[in-house]
């Protein structure tokens, strides 16, 4: 992963996370936009205007892979040209120069420093999990033991349940099935999501907490599998970081 793509992805994820923010009210969020200032317009990576109910804050977020005094000075002029309580955020690699840190602090620019990972590491992530029992089989079994409409429940989190064959032998677990697909990665590319339906060749069962119906027949297991980079910054965490720094800067 290049430095540019790492930070560009971070800005995109930050932008997408803004819509879920509840602690403030977003007035405007613009990705890769042109913002009009007092004297001229400015191309910015991300513009976020929000209010806490009392004051309105304007945040300009820019990618600068390796921040220099010249880039910081240009960004400072952009910040000062936008009226109101405006602060800048620079997504950049770690800054070690004292003069750059001092200039950023005096100019109302927050340095969001991140080390670029040497290699991209991806992990499988599951979502929309459905563990589907055979409802017709369960209905017949409940009628057989005379419990009518009484509920028969499996574990509250069935992904941790064990799977049994017709003789009561434990042959796998729901989590084991998830892990097997994760290891195969099913020919996925990073960011691509695949819907999977795992079916069984022979009848299998899940254990319950009911004395008269100790097992229920399992039909299939459905879930979505996606390969996600674990190196990427979390959009939600970035939003929290930016809000905290903005409020601290303005004395909130």
């Amino acid at each position: 992963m290049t430095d540019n793509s790492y930070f560009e992805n971070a800005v995109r994820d930050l932008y997408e996370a803004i819509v879920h923010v509840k602690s403030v009210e977003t007035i405007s969020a613009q990705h890769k936009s042109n913002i009009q200032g007092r004297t001229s317009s400015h191309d910015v990576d991300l513009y976020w205007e929000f209010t806490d109910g009392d004051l309105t804050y304007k945040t300009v977020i820019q990618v600068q892979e390796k921040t220099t005094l010249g880039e910081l000075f240009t960004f400072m002029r952009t910040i000062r040209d936008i009226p109101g309580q405006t602060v800048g955020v620079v997504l950049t690699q770690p800054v070690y120069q004292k003069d750059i840190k001092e200039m950023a602090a005096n100019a109302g620019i927050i340095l969001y420093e991140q080390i670029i990972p040497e290699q991209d590491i991806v992990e499988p992530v599951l979502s929309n999990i459905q563990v589907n029992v055979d409802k017709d089989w369960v209905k017949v079994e409940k009628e057989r033991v005379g419990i009518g409409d009484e509920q028969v429940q499996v574990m509250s989190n069935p992904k941790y349940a064990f799977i049994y064959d017709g003789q009561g032998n434990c042959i796998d677990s729901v989590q084991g099935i998830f892990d097997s697909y994760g290891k195969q990665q099913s020919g996925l590319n990073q960011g691509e999501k695949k819907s999977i339906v795992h079916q069984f060749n022979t009848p299998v069962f899940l254990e319950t907490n009911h004395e008269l119906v100790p097992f229920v027949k399992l039909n299939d297991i459905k879930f979505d599998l996606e390969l996600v980079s674990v190196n990427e910054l979390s959009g939600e965490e970035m939003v929290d970081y930016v809000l905290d720094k903005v409020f601290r800067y303005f004395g909130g």
Side-chain angles (χ1 to χ4, degrees):
M1 178 182 291
T2 65
D3 296 353
N4 184 66
S5 64
Y6 179 81
F7 286 118
E8 290 296 336
N9 289 342
V11 169
R12 179 206 61 208
D13 292 344
L14 174 57
Y15 171 69
E16 292 175 353
I18 285 173
V19 299
H20 302 294
V21 174
K22 303 297 183 184
S23 57
V24 297
E25 179 184 349
T26 295
I27 298 172
S28 176
Q30 301 177 43
H31 185 214
K32 295 293 184 183
S33 183
N34 185 271
I35 303 299
Q36 182 62 48
R38 293 186 182 91
T39 62
S40 62
S41 59
H42 307 275
D43 292 325
V44 301
D45 291 324
L46 178 59
Y47 175 78
W48 183 21
E49 184 175 339
F50 59 88
T51 178
D52 61 3
D54 295 320
L55 299 174
T56 296
Y57 304 88
K58 299 176 180 180
T59 305
V60 181
I61 300 166
Q62 206 79 345
V63 170
Q64 293 179 5
E65 298 165 24
K66 295 181 180 179
T67 302
T68 65
L69 282 174
E71 289 176 327
L72 211 57
F73 182 74
T74 299
F75 191 41
M76 179 187 71
R77 288 189 297 179
T78 297
I79 299 303
R80 293 184 174 177
D81 194 46
I82 299 174
Q85 294 201 111
T86 306
V87 67
V89 178
V90 173
L91 284 175
T92 184
Q93 295 193 61
V95 176
Y96 302 104
Q97 297 93 328
K98 184 179 178 181
D99 53 352
I100 291 180
K101 286 184 173 291
E102 288 179 347
M103 180 179 176
N106 293 331
I109 297 173
I110 300 163
L111 297 177
Y112 197 147
E113 302 170 69
Q114 288 292 323
I115 298 175
I116 305 296
E118 292 184 2
Q119 61 181 6
D120 197 18
I121 301 174
V122 296
E123 290 185 354
V125 174
L126 276 62
S127 60
N128 301 322
I129 297 171
Q130 299 177 41
V131 179
N132 300 312
V133 301
D134 188 331
K135 294 181 180 179
D136 292 335
W137 185 95
V138 173
K139 180 180 179 181
V140 170
E141 188 66 10
K142 286 164 63 175
E143 291 175 351
R144 185 183 70 81
V145 298
I147 61 172
D149 294 330
E150 186 176 331
Q151 291 293 318
V152 176
Q153 296 180 337
V154 297
M155 295 179 61
S156 57
N157 192 342
K159 77 174 185 175
Y160 298 120
F162 291 104
I163 299 173
Y164 298 83
D165 63 16
Q167 287 71 48
N169 301 309
C170 182
I171 57 174
D172 206 338
S173 67
V174 175
Q175 185 64 53
I177 291 172
F178 294 157
D179 292 343
S180 67
Y181 280 95
K183 291 176 182 177
Q184 298 170 16
Q185 297 182 354
S186 302
L188 287 177
N189 297 316
Q190 183 180 335
E192 179 184 359
K193 184 179 290 187
K194 182 176 182 180
S195 296
I196 293 173
V197 179
H198 181 86
Q199 297 179 320
F200 300 90
N201 296 325
T202 58
V204 296
F205 302 84
L206 291 177
E207 193 172 11
T208 75
N209 58 2
H210 199 285
E211 183 179 0
L212 297 179
V213 186
F215 296 95
V216 291
K217 187 171 180 290
L218 180 58
N219 262 352
D220 56 45
I221 300 174
K222 299 179 181 179
F223 55 94
D224 292 335
L225 177 66
E226 181 179 9
L227 290 184
V228 176
S229 172
V230 299
N231 295 329
E232 293 181 0
L233 295 169
S234 162
E236 290 75 13
E237 291 179 2
M238 286 189 286
V239 166
D240 291 340
Y241 179 91
V242 169
L243 285 175
D244 178 68
K245 292 295 185 180
V246 169
F247 289 140
R248 285 176 182 268
Y249 179 79
F250 288 112

